[in-house]
Amino acid sequence: MILASGATCDAIQRPHIQLCGDSTILMTFSAIRTDAFVVVEVDGEAADACGDEVVIALDRGFVADIDADLRSGSWHLCPELRGILSDMRVRRPAGRLDRLYIQAKATELACRTAELLTAGALTPSSGSRDLSEFDARRVVRARDLIHQRFAEDLTLHGIARACGLNRSLLSRGFRLMFGKSVAQYLAHTRLDAARRLLVTSDLVISSVGHACGYSNNAAFTRAFGRRFGVPPSVTRRQVHLPPCPALSER
């Protein structure tokens, strides 16, 4: 299924539902596969798509009306959205009431998709089409665990066990979905958190490193320099520089 904003009928070659202004067009599409995806294309920005999808095209005004921060990407089609699509598929547009029903369901589908995306309730599938939804959800759980517990002594084995995956599948899935190894993602998460602490707190630099999972201050300083191009001490000094007199007089 493709949910698109700023698309036109001429630009879409696959079976689709077009919802632009007051017009709705229903074309025949096949049964919804259990391994289907919801692909969001916003303002004409193409997103990865494959297979036999249903296309739902929304004009920009609709996206503005529902006040949703829709961004291009790909997600596994959850049972709730698949149910809405099934309701639309079995209803044939024989009369005006049927067409109104289908249009209402298309609107429900778009709004519910936006709500689920905003809530982070859909499982990303970008780069993970070789993963089942079951495995993709666990890779996402591993990412969330890193964000929640990055200050702890995390290991690949421990993360994999906590998320119900073997190390090989976790490593492969992480690269497919997030473009980084687990170790790289963990390091970047720690260092980004350390930079925020340097900017927003008065903790001494060694305490900042320790609070973000680094037991060795020298290792923290080297990693920080590789990530941001300057050592932690420079970042701290830049934050506390006095204002420029010429600017403060303006």
Side-chain angles (χ1 to χ4, degrees), residues 214-234:
Y214 289 91
S215 57
N216 184 291
N217 189 53
F220 167 57
T221 300
R222 287 194 300 271
F224 193 95
R226 286 194 298 268
R227 175 91 165 106
F228 300 111
V230 295
S233 56
V234 172

Side-chain angles (χ1 to χ4, degrees), residues 44-213:
E45 180 181 352
D48 181 36
C50 69
D52 185 19
E53 290 103 356
V54 179
V55 177
I56 299 178
L58 306 177
D59 62 17
R60 296 183 183 183
F62 183 90
V63 176
D65 287 343
I66 63 176
D67 193 26
D69 184 19
L70 294 181
R71 299 184 181 183
S72 296
S74 178
W75 292 265
H76 286 273
L77 185 64
C78 69
E80 180 182 353
L81 298 183
R82 189 179 295 114
I84 299 173
L85 280 171
S86 295
D87 290 342
M88 297 168 67
R89 189 172 69 87
V90 299
R91 189 74 171 252
R92 300 303 177 190
R96 179 171 175 77
L97 286 179
D98 296 310
R99 290 192 293 271
L100 287 174
Y101 176 87
I102 292 167
Q103 180 169 355
K105 280 293 180 179
T107 303
E108 178 188 2
L109 179 67
C111 292
R112 190 59 186 140
T113 299
E115 289 175 344
L116 291 170
L117 288 175
T118 301
L122 295 181
T123 303
S125 62
S126 297
S128 70
R129 292 179 181 269
D130 292 332
L131 297 176
S132 68
E133 182 176 5
F134 182 87
D135 290 336
R137 284 184 177 179
R138 278 152 180 75
V139 173
V140 172
R141 185 184 300 173
R143 180 203 61 185
D144 294 343
L145 184 149
I146 289 174
H147 283 288
Q148 295 162 6
R149 298 168 51 187
F150 62 84
E152 300 178 19
D153 184 20
L154 296 177
T155 64
L156 178 64
H157 175 73
I159 295 171
R161 184 172 59 180
C163 298
L165 293 169
N166 62 53
R167 289 179 293 179
S168 176
L169 183 54
L170 174 60
S171 298
R172 182 171 66 88
F174 226 88
R175 285 192 178 277
L176 283 171
M177 294 185 69
F178 306 118
K180 300 174 185 176
S181 70
V182 175
Q184 288 172 327
Y185 196 95
L186 174 59
H188 286 184
T189 301
R190 286 172 167 169
L191 292 168
D192 290 344
R195 190 175 188 278
R196 288 193 297 271
L197 277 178
L198 288 170
V199 171
T200 61
S201 77
D202 291 324
L203 286 174
V204 297
I205 291 174
S206 59
S207 295
V208 169
H210 187 268
C212 295

